[in-house]
Amino acid sequence: GQNIDQPTEMTATEGAIVQINCTYQTSGFNGLFWYQQHAGEAPTFLSYNVLDGLEEKGRFSSFLSRSKGYSYLLLKELQMKDSASYLCAGANSGNTPLVFGKGTRLSVIA
Amino acid sequence: EAGVAQSPRYKIIEKRQSVAFWCNPISGHATLYWYQQILGQGPKLLIQFQNNGVVDDSQLPKDRFSAERLKGVDSTLKIQPAKLEDSAVYLCASSLRGTRELFFGEGSRLTVL
């Protein structure tokens, strides 16, 4: 199968910037999703990168390097409500389902 | 637009009992997924449907889990008999044909005692 690795937990300060990394086997995916999941709630879509480079969407940006099997999610101007798990998910070609990493639990502190 | 509906939200059963979860996807979404999410882990695919056909059930423990989507709209996931390790949140998701973005329901939290 394809492995997706993310840090288990991260802590950052309100107003700061945090980068959550995700690595995966390069022979697999042709696109990378990021989802946000608050405790006890369903995952919600944040971003999708299919080409190399940075995609910016407000306070959130996502980066992909397909040759390196590497992606990151960048959160700026952190707010307390950003405390959540962030799931990295790989997309294979065709109609195959997303494969999720274990998620990174981010705690934003005052 | 209504989201993905799931029920029940919570269920507590004893091991060896059976349980069924129901999902109604977003209208027009041809693809439906059931994921299992154990506490502290990411969602793991159990089964994927395209309309009423199974696309991928390679990770479904078929000795105890079954799922159907008879009319290509709503779906039912059944566990019989349940084991302690089945305690998890069962997430249903749907997507439009040809797209990769998943829309998740709120999940059904199962506790097996």
Side-chain angles (χ1 to χ4, degrees):
Chain A
Q2 280 130 341
N3 293 322
I4 298 179
D5 291 315
Q6 315 178 225
T8 303
E9 292 188 28
M10 298 182 72
T11 302
T13 305
E14 192 176 16
I17 299 173
V18 70
Q19 178 175 312
I20 302 173
N21 296 324
C22 171
T23 58
Y24 61 93
Q25 291 178 307
T26 58
S27 61
F29 306 129
N30 64 1
L32 223 294
F33 283 83
W34 284 95
Y35 279 79
Q36 180 190 58
Q37 186 176 27
H38 285 100
E41 297 182 13
T44 54
F45 170 80
L46 286 178
S47 68
Y48 176 42
N49 292 67
V50 64
L51 299 176
D52 289 353
L54 188 68
E55 296 271 348
E56 297 187 71
K57 193 186 294 185
R59 294 190 299 114
F60 292 10
S61 303
S62 56
F63 172 85
L64 177 65
S65 169
R66 290 171 294 172
S67 62
K68 295 181 180 177
Y70 170 66
S71 173
Y72 68 72
L73 181 69
L74 193 71
L75 292 77
K76 303 176 187 176
E77 301 169 16
L78 279 173
Q79 302 175 9
M80 301 299 284
K81 67 178 182 180
D82 297 329
S83 293
S85 285
Y86 291 85
L87 300 165
C88 173
N92 291 305
S93 59
N95 194 27
T96 53
L98 298 186
V99 177
F100 285 86
K102 293 186 176 182
T104 299
R105 187 162 65 244
L106 173 66
S107 299
V108 180
I109 58 175
Chain B
E1 161 182 283
V4 176
Q6 290 190 246
S7 67
R9 288 292 315 276
Y10 305 94
K11 189 74 176 179
I12 300 174
I13 61 174
E14 295 188 350
K15 60 183 179 184
R16 291 187 288 273
Q17 288 187 322
S18 63
V19 63
F21 302 114
W22 174 83
C23 171
N24 192 27
I26 293 174
S27 178
H29 282 198
T31 311
L32 184 148
Y33 310 80
W34 283 101
Y35 280 86
Q36 179 194 57
Q37 187 173 26
I38 292 172
L39 187 64
Q41 298 186 21
K44 174 189 140 187
L45 180 77
L46 291 175
I47 189 166
Q48 176 189 357
F49 291 96
Q50 181 77 24
N51 297 311
N52 62 348
V54 175
V55 175
D56 185 344
D57 64 356
S58 58
Q59 298 185 82
L60 187 74
K62 297 181 186 64
D63 58 333
R64 298 183 302 104
F65 286 63
S66 65
E68 60 184 17
R69 193 185 184 200
L70 293 175
K71 296 183 179 179
V73 180
D74 56 349
S75 175
T76 302
L77 175 71
K78 295 180 181 177
I79 308 174
Q80 181 179 16
K83 292 186 175 181
L84 296 177
E85 58 260 37
D86 299 332
S87 293
V89 176
Y90 291 86
L91 293 164
C92 179
S94 68
S95 65
L96 285 166
R97 179 191 287 272
T99 69
R100 311 309 301 278
E101 182 183 345
L102 302 184
F103 294 82
F104 285 89
E106 292 186 309
S108 294
R109 182 179 298 275
L110 173 66
T111 302
V112 182
L113 303 175

